[in-house]
Amino acid sequence: GPNGVRVEGHTDDVPIHTARYRSNWELSTTRATNVVAFLMERGVSPARLSASGYGEFHPRAPNDTDANRARNRRVDIVILNTDTSQREEPASR
């Protein structure tokens, strides 16, 4: 079947604590689930999708400038190969 898709949310290292998000963990998982919803609205099968939040712990760049922090606030869409899908994803019922 078609490959699995893991949507990964990320943040910069600036702590967040607002009424909406208690932490960067919540912010990063919300970013990922929003993209999952976007993909489903456009016809991607939900059975192919997973969402992960990584907070600030997988930066692309040092969090030392505004521009670099902006690079770290992102969502990565990872297309899984068959072997990775079978290792990482729970078995279908």
Side-chain angles (χ1 to χ4, degrees):
N3 294 60
V5 179
R6 185 175 59 225
V7 181
E8 302 177 344
H10 301 271
T11 68
D12 61 26
D13 69 347
V14 177
I16 189 169
H17 187 90
T18 65
R20 191 165 181 190
Y21 304 110
R22 290 182 303 185
S23 69
N24 278 332
W25 289 109
E26 288 189 14
L27 178 56
S28 66
T29 56
T30 298
R31 284 180 175 157
T33 54
N34 285 341
V35 172
V36 163
F38 175 89
L39 293 171
M40 286 190 308
E41 288 166 5
R42 280 144 189 86
V44 177
S45 168
R48 291 179 61 195
L49 297 169
S50 62
S52 299
Y54 291 89
E56 71 259 33
F57 299 103
H58 293 263
R60 267 207 185 132
N63 283 291
D64 56 0
T65 65
D66 288 342
N68 279 347
R69 281 188 291 278
R71 289 183 66 204
N72 291 329
R73 295 189 298 268
R74 69 191 193 278
V75 173
D76 295 334
I77 298 176
V78 180
I79 310 300
L80 303 175
N81 65 30
T82 304
D83 292 340
T84 305
S85 290
Q86 289 173 348
R87 270 199 320 274
E88 292 191 0
E89 303 305 324
S92 299
R93 301 207 190 285

